[in-house]
Amino acid sequence: MSTIRVLYIDDEENNLTAFKAGFRRQYEIYTATSAADGQKILENVDIQVIIADQKMPKITGVDFFKSISKTHPDPVRILLTGYTDIEALADAINHGDIYRYITKPWNDLELHNSIKNAYDAYVAKIELRDKIAELEKTNDELNRFIYSISHELRAPLVSAMGIVNVVKMEGLFDSCGEYWGLIETCANKLDYYIQKTLQYYKNHKTTSDISSVDFNKLIQELIDLYSYTDKDTHFHVEIRQNTEFYGDAFRIEVILGNLISNAIKYQKEDETNKKVVISVDVQREAVEIVISDNGMGILNEHLEKIFTQFFKAKTNQGTGLGLFIVKEALNKINGKIAVSSGLSEGTTFKITIPNGR
């Protein structure tokens, strides 16, 4: 371990001499008879522990520590006091201006242990700051990676999907057996993964932005957006919104979009009357939303697991991300969700979101 650099400020020369004599072999010691001289040393030496006497002619030890809290925040501060000044000590401790105080005359063992503990606190502070800097760097790299996913990766994917659509328009989709269909399926699946990844990332990064939410408009936009995948699914919508609702529009859209998309996606192929029922009841305290379908349903043993990241039932062809994102988004806005389902009978989700008005 490197030698601990200690600065001791005291207007009494005898105390400085005694400190040097007692600890010169254990620490690299710097001394000053005034706060101004101590300030000069701090500007030229990387001090790790500062000891200051409380009662000095021009400035108290507590006030000196406060004065250097912004310019020299790293050194850990110990106060020596020969009299009881509880109010000043309590204020200094509460504001983080001092690490510990020791009464004079000091006990060598107590002061030695205090310096060692203060140095450990100093090292921990520096390591924490380095870890934070490392995390910030990693976060910046993650931001660039997400940007790459949303732009550089998705752009060629959209082009490939566009080519498939051109093939369909020209009547050549079935000309090569099932190959074009396989390409379309893979492209759609990859696009779905990219979109869910972006949703998950934005849900964690985006701060809540409270604004007015019009559920009539929002629900219709989401139905129009997702119903293109299955035109045979019929929607029955009942919205009661006689009062203003304020909430996180981004996360509410993510929640409802995933649930409506799932309600369409997991319909039974042989069902002749595919339907999704959406009920929205806006009250002054909260909105209650119920989304039901008559689709494939979920096994009872799976109901507690469906909100787990990457959980997929054997009959489920999804990614295991959609409902996990729903639960994460609800947690961000203090919402609640309940689910009931029966195999081949359909699924009902009930969501409650507080009104932020």
Side-chain angles (χ1 to χ4, degrees):
M1 184 179 70
S2 58
T3 304
I4 302 171
R5 292 181 293 277
V6 181
L7 168 62
Y8 177 23
I9 306 171
D10 195 324
D11 62 314
E12 297 183 31
E13 289 278 3
N14 291 338
N15 291 334
L16 298 178
T17 302
F19 182 79
K20 285 181 183 178
F23 298 104
R24 68 182 185 279
R25 289 193 177 97
Q26 296 160 294
Y27 310 120
E28 183 179 327
I29 297 173
Y30 298 83
T31 59
T33 56
S34 68
D37 290 341
Q39 180 77 37
K40 292 177 182 177
I41 293 172
L42 284 173
E43 291 171 359
N44 294 283
V45 181
D46 184 16
I47 296 295
Q48 296 156 331
V49 179
I50 306 174
I51 302 171
D53 184 34
Q54 166 66 359
K55 192 176 181 181
M56 294 188 289
K58 293 183 178 179
I59 185 173
T60 66
V62 168
D63 289 336
F64 171 70
F65 285 144
K66 286 182 179 180
S67 71
I68 64 169
S69 60
K70 291 185 178 180
T71 56
H72 299 88
D74 292 334
V76 181
R77 301 170 285 279
I78 297 174
L79 186 73
L80 285 177
T81 175
Y83 66 98
T84 303
D85 189 353
I86 298 299
E87 187 175 341
L89 291 175
D91 181 64
I93 292 171
N94 290 336
H95 288 84
D97 296 313
I98 66 171
Y99 169 73
R100 184 168 297 173
Y101 78 91
I102 295 174
T103 57
K104 294 167 61 176
W106 66 74
N107 175 282
D108 282 0
L109 180 59
E110 180 188 8
L111 184 54
H112 173 64
N113 288 334
S114 296
I115 293 172
K116 284 180 61 180
N117 292 336
Y119 176 72
D120 290 341
Y122 170 86
V123 171
K125 183 192 297 186
I126 299 302
E127 288 179 349
L128 177 60
R129 188 170 63 196
D130 291 343
K131 289 293 183 183
I132 291 173
E134 185 179 337
L135 286 173
E136 288 176 345
K137 179 183 176 183
T138 302
N139 189 57
D140 289 340
E141 292 172 353
L142 178 60
N143 285 338
R144 289 193 292 271
F145 175 70
I146 295 298
Y147 179 85
S148 175
I149 287 179
S150 61
H151 293 82
E152 297 175 16
L153 186 59
R154 197 158 186 265
L157 178 61
V158 170
S159 297
M161 294 167 71
I163 292 171
V164 172
N165 288 330
V166 171
V167 170
K168 283 183 177 180
M169 292 172 60
E170 294 182 355
L172 301 174
F173 190 75
D174 299 318
S175 61
C176 299
E178 61 181 6
Y179 294 124
W180 282 113
L182 289 172
I183 292 173
E184 182 181 40
T185 300
C186 291
N188 286 333
K189 197 166 187 177
L190 179 57
D191 186 48
Y192 182 81
Y193 267 110
I194 291 173
Q195 290 186 47
K196 293 305 171 189
T197 300
L198 291 172
Q199 279 187 358
Y200 174 75
Y201 175 75
K202 289 179 180 178
N203 180 50
H204 276 268
K205 293 291 290 183
T206 307
T207 56
S208 292
D209 183 14
I210 305 302
S211 59
S212 178
V213 178
D214 182 347
F215 283 98
N216 283 284
K217 180 181 178 183
L218 177 60
I219 294 294
Q220 189 56 56
E221 287 177 349
L222 292 172
I223 290 174
D224 292 341
L225 178 63
Y226 292 106
S227 62
Y228 79 93
T229 58
D230 189 344
K231 296 294 185 181
D232 295 330
T233 300
H234 302 286
F235 287 85
H236 304 272
V237 180
E238 182 180 359
I239 298 176
R240 297 178 294 279
Q241 184 171 5
N242 297 318
T243 185
E244 283 288 327
F245 183 89
Y246 289 89
D248 189 327
F250 163 71
R251 289 188 171 90
I252 292 173
E253 182 177 339
V254 167
I255 292 162
L256 298 183
N258 275 287
L259 294 178
I260 291 172
S261 173
N262 282 356
I264 299 169
K265 186 187 305 179
Y266 298 119
Q267 289 287 340
K268 293 172 288 195
E269 291 186 7
D270 57 353
E271 176 63 54
T272 57
N273 182 30
K274 301 177 181 179
K275 65 178 180 179
V276 176
V277 179
I278 302 174
S279 170
V280 179
D281 186 12
V282 181
Q283 299 294 330
R284 183 175 181 83
E285 295 78 19
V287 60
E288 186 175 285
I289 305 167
V290 179
I291 300 177
S292 301
D293 64 67
N294 61 340
M296 293 185 291
I298 305 167
L299 287 170
N300 284 333
E301 62 218 60
H302 292 158
L303 285 179
E304 293 183 0
K305 304 175 184 177
I306 59 174
F307 298 108
T308 305
Q309 190 175 22
F310 300 122
F311 173 78
K312 294 193 292 183
K314 292 181 180 179
T315 57
N316 187 340
Q317 300 302 313
T319 63
L321 280 173
L323 291 179
F324 172 74
I325 292 171
V326 167
K327 191 67 166 64
E328 290 288 295
L330 281 166
N331 288 340
K332 292 283 187 180
I333 58 177
N334 298 317
K336 297 179 180 179
I337 187 168
V339 57
S340 59
S341 185
L343 199 60
S344 299
E345 295 177 3
T347 304
T348 297
F349 288 95
K350 181 178 178 181
I351 307 107
T352 305
I353 302 172
N355 195 338
R357 58 183 301 165

